[in-house]
Amino acid sequence: GGGGGPRPTPSQMMAMMGTSPRRVFTSAIASTGIALSANLFGVTSSLLTALPEEVVEPTGLDTYFPRDGFKRVVARGSPPPPSLGANGLPSAAATGGGGSKCSFLIPADWVADTSLALAQAQRRARALDYSMRQPSSPGVLPDAAFGPPGKRDGLGLSNSDTNVSVIVNNDVSGFTLRTLGDDAESAARSLLSKRKRPTELVAACEEVRGANTPVYQFEYTVDRGERYERLRAISVVAGSSAGDSFVTLTVVSADADWAREGARDRLKRVAESFKLI
């Protein structure tokens, strides 16, 4: 090589460019933080997928960023409507919280059911509008519901037939799973016998999930007649340790969807991830 002085060091070159090692390091850290918080190019999701679920779940990060194609939902019961006082006006007394809280996974591309949110808002408005009280009791609304966006999701699951819903029942006392039946199968048969449409029990089991909470899980089909495709569903029931509430999650789709590769595993994972927290 030719003559000349010694080559400048990296620090000298950075100084010539008006920067420094500290600034470069700070910029790199900031850029990494932005990429992670925005899940840029799926970086955060990839990192979370590489970690065990029991490590990620307590952080709550999987409720913001998908992990392994799923995101976690935390749901609890809706607060009860205000009670009416002797004067017919809503009572000023506190109505309390929403009871039991649960978590479960849903596919990353599923979204909240906007029609449910509207129905819940309308019910709250009717409850507060004491001048338009109706004597008939309202039907049961889920406390949360999710399903594919548009007509079909990435695996072809239909929005009209596919969803997961959660109902929290708070107005109970001394509830245990044995209230429903001595075992999962007898409980399932008893509950299904009350449905208006013909049903067929496929499988039933009892498991322990979360903080040592027993659950009943049962799979069944629902015959909707000749005009509509048969449905298949998995329901999971769990009761609070205090016996003052119980929660039911149901994931449902067209029977034919459960036989398609990938779709059944996706639907089952939703049901099997459910637990009280």
Side-chain angles (χ1 to χ4, degrees):
R7 298 179 61 180
T9 65
S11 296
Q12 291 171 330
M13 292 180 66
M14 290 181 189
M16 292 165 57
M17 293 185 292
T19 186
S20 66
R22 178 182 178 84
R23 181 175 294 180
V24 171
F25 175 76
T26 303
S27 299
I29 292 297
S31 299
T32 302
I34 292 172
L36 290 174
S37 62
N39 200 23
L40 193 61
F41 307 119
V43 171
T44 309
S45 292
S46 297
L47 289 175
L48 294 179
T49 300
L51 295 172
E53 185 172 343
E54 58 269 21
V55 173
V56 176
E57 184 180 352
T59 69
L61 289 174
D62 55 351
T63 63
Y64 298 100
F65 306 107
R67 176 186 176 278
D68 196 22
F70 288 80
K71 55 189 175 184
R72 186 171 300 279
V73 173
V74 175
R76 69 180 308 157
S78 302
S83 58
L84 300 179
N87 57 0
L89 299 175
S91 171
T95 57
S100 290
K101 188 163 62 171
C102 66
S103 78
F104 54 96
L105 298 176
I106 62 172
D109 56 348
W110 284 19
V111 296
D113 187 336
T114 54
S115 62
L116 170 62
L118 176 61
Q120 289 174 331
Q122 291 173 334
R123 173 167 294 182
R124 285 193 294 268
R126 285 198 301 269
L128 290 170
D129 188 3
Y130 53 86
S131 64
M132 299 178 63
R133 294 195 303 272
Q134 298 179 359
S136 59
S137 59
V140 175
L141 279 179
D143 293 286
F146 300 85
K151 292 187 176 180
R152 294 187 180 273
D153 70 359
L155 284 178
L157 296 176
S158 166
N159 175 276
S160 60
D161 292 328
T162 306
N163 67 76
V164 58
S165 60
V166 170
I167 297 177
V168 181
N169 300 271
N170 292 319
D171 300 326
V172 296
S173 177
F175 176 86
T176 70
L177 289 182
R178 303 296 181 257
T179 306
L180 304 177
D182 291 336
D183 53 57
E185 182 175 346
S186 61
R189 293 192 183 281
S190 174
L191 292 172
L192 295 179
S193 68
K194 296 176 174 60
R195 295 184 65 99
K196 294 181 179 179
R197 296 187 180 276
T199 60
E200 181 180 352
L201 181 64
V202 177
C205 66
E206 181 176 354
E207 298 178 354
V208 175
R209 299 183 187 175
N212 202 34
T213 303
V215 305
Y216 281 168
Q217 176 174 302
F218 45 96
E219 182 175 342
Y220 55 97
T221 59
V222 180
D223 188 346
R224 297 189 293 175
E226 296 181 357
R227 295 182 57 188
Y228 300 98
E229 190 173 357
R230 186 170 62 169
L231 296 176
R232 182 177 292 256
I234 295 180
S235 291
V236 192
V237 185
S240 66
S241 58
D244 56 357
S245 65
F246 67 97
V247 185
T248 304
L249 173 143
T250 299
V251 57
V252 61
S253 190
D255 190 31
D257 289 338
W258 292 78
R260 291 195 290 110
E261 183 178 358
R264 178 175 177 83
D265 291 341
R266 195 179 213 200
L267 295 167
K268 284 190 67 176
R269 187 169 180 185
V270 174
E272 292 171 352
S273 67
F274 167 79
K275 61 185 176 182
L276 298 188
I277 56 175

